[in-house]
Amino acid sequence: MPKLIVILGPTAVGKTELSLRVAEHFRCPIINADSRQIYRDIAIGTAAPTAEEMKRVEHYFVHTKQLDEYYSAAQYEEDVLNLLNTLFKTHEVVVLSGGSMMYIDAVTKGIDDIPTIDDDTRQLIKQRYEKEGLEPLLAELKLLDPEYYNIVDKKNHKRVVHALEICYMTGNTFTSYRVNERKHRPFSIIKIGLRREREDLFNRINQRVDKMMQEGFMDEAKRVYPLRQLNSLNTVGYKELFNVIAGEWELPMATERIKKNTRVYAKKQMTWYKKDNEIQWVDVDKMTVDEAVAKIVGLACADV
């Protein structure tokens, strides 16, 4: 049976180099599982693989979408499964690497078959949110889908908006589509998580942000600033630099805030991963790169 090696972990833990080394060992491609690296024109702020790195190993789902293109975890699931069906004809192993939790779950477990929202409905709810704010939408969700209202994060406007989009478009509750059934996959899955001690990880995050700034992150943010309302740019790094461009923050303050918010995101990632008992963890701060590669290869080659 073909095998999908999933290399995951929090931002800045070191997934890129280890994924490259493991893919080189198996002579296989890498499927990117980072929801922002999929977009073009934001390579610095998303720490996307460089041209040199993509020459070493063939990559998929890097810089494939325009910033204004709508893309979801459900679409990613379908696209990756179709791609794997082709890749496994010539490769016994494929590596999937990234830190986007929903994207990884979409491929490895499957997500509910929730209808794709049409543009008219999306624009309608978006305009209501921008005009009225979150509270009226929450009140409506309570009427239309009280079961989901009771469990939704009421501060997460994206989830509230999406649930209402489903209610409006289908006439059914969002809850009715959330069956949470694991889907069968015609390949084996090995999940390998990379982790570091908290202080080491946070230092790497701080150093990465400094490196991004040196590489021209601010110039990149200025280029995409006219598109700042797009969902693809609603992410750590760009939001803070947009405040600088708007004259609301000073750059040193924004840089420190990027570091802080990235550290917060890394903690959220680890909280998510802790719920998954299928992950085999590798403490990469306690070994050399060669040792880490050997460990991952050993785990990947073990019987499942």
Side-chain angles (χ1 to χ4, degrees):
M1 179 179 287
K3 186 178 296 185
L4 181 68
I5 303 173
V6 181
I7 300 177
L8 54 84
T11 185
V13 76
K15 296 184 294 294
T16 299
E17 179 59 27
L18 285 176
S19 297
L20 284 166
R21 293 280 298 273
V22 171
E24 286 171 337
H25 173 86
F26 288 107
R27 297 181 180 178
C28 71
I30 293 175
I31 296 176
N32 172 52
D34 185 296
S35 64
R36 289 300 183 262
Q37 291 178 1
I38 285 177
Y39 291 101
R40 298 175 191 145
D41 303 321
I42 51 174
I44 297 174
T46 61
T50 64
E52 291 74 18
E53 288 167 339
M54 288 194 284
K55 285 180 182 177
R56 288 172 57 183
V57 172
E58 186 173 13
H59 283 68
Y60 293 91
F61 297 96
V62 177
H63 304 159
T64 56
K65 298 292 179 182
Q66 299 288 354
L67 288 170
D68 60 353
E69 284 187 73
Y70 174 75
Y71 200 63
S72 68
Q75 290 171 310
Y76 179 77
E77 175 188 10
E78 181 179 357
D79 291 344
V80 170
L81 292 180
N82 287 335
L83 174 63
L84 286 173
N85 187 49
T86 299
L87 293 179
F88 281 140
K89 292 177 181 177
T90 53
H91 298 84
E92 294 182 1
V93 173
V94 174
V95 171
L96 183 143
S97 177
S100 293
M101 298 85 78
M102 281 292 293
Y103 276 33
I104 291 171
D105 278 0
V107 173
T108 60
K109 300 178 181 178
I111 58 178
D112 295 328
D113 293 321
I114 296 173
T116 300
I117 307 301
D118 61 59
D119 290 338
D120 290 343
T121 303
R122 181 174 295 110
Q123 286 302 316
L124 172 64
I125 305 299
K126 178 183 177 183
Q127 289 170 6
R128 283 198 55 199
Y129 170 68
E130 292 174 348
K131 182 179 179 180
E132 304 172 27
L134 187 57
E135 287 304 318
L137 299 187
L138 274 169
E140 189 164 3
L141 181 62
K142 187 175 183 179
L143 290 173
L144 296 176
D145 191 349
E147 187 175 347
Y148 187 65
Y149 172 85
N150 288 333
I151 63 172
V152 69
D153 178 355
K154 296 176 179 58
K155 295 181 180 179
N156 189 327
H157 77 274
K158 291 183 181 179
R159 294 185 180 178
V160 174
V161 164
H162 185 55
L164 273 180
E165 289 173 341
I166 294 295
C167 293
Y168 268 57
M169 194 184 81
T170 68
N172 299 319
T173 64
F174 182 52
T175 300
S176 66
Y177 293 98
R178 301 177 74 245
V179 295
N180 294 318
E181 292 181 357
R182 184 170 188 138
K183 297 177 182 177
H184 169 73
R185 300 302 189 215
F187 48 85
S188 62
I189 299 169
I190 309 292
K191 292 183 183 177
I192 299 170
L194 310 182
R195 64 186 175 190
R196 296 177 180 270
E197 292 292 339
R198 179 187 176 112
E199 183 177 357
D200 181 30
L201 179 63
F202 284 5
N203 285 336
R204 287 175 62 90
I205 287 172
N206 294 341
Q207 291 168 10
R208 172 186 276 187
V209 173
D210 288 335
K211 184 171 183 285
M212 287 175 172
M213 298 307 298
Q214 294 167 6
E215 291 175 343
F217 190 8
M218 188 63 187
D219 290 335
E220 183 176 85
K222 288 178 180 177
R223 286 196 297 272
V224 298
Y225 181 71
L227 306 173
R228 60 192 177 280
Q229 300 301 325
L230 294 177
N231 183 60
S232 57
L233 295 171
N234 182 28
T235 189
V236 175
Y238 295 96
K239 292 189 293 186
E240 293 83 357
L241 292 184
F242 291 161
N243 285 337
V244 176
I245 298 168
E248 298 170 4
W249 289 6
E250 296 294 329
L251 183 57
M253 173 188 170
T255 302
E256 291 307 309
R257 193 66 63 88
I258 293 171
K259 293 176 181 178
K260 177 183 177 182
N261 290 340
T262 305
R263 296 193 299 266
V264 170
Y265 177 62
K267 287 189 284 187
K268 288 181 179 179
Q269 288 175 298
M270 289 305 298
T271 299
W272 181 290
Y273 297 140
K274 286 176 182 177
K275 302 174 186 176
D276 191 339
N277 57 16
E278 297 175 355
I279 299 174
Q280 302 178 75
W281 290 100
V282 176
D283 295 307
V284 291
D285 55 348
K286 296 180 173 62
M287 56 186 73
T288 66
V289 172
D290 286 343
E291 289 170 340
V293 171
K295 177 72 173 178
I296 294 170
V297 169
L299 291 171
C301 291
D303 290 335
V304 295

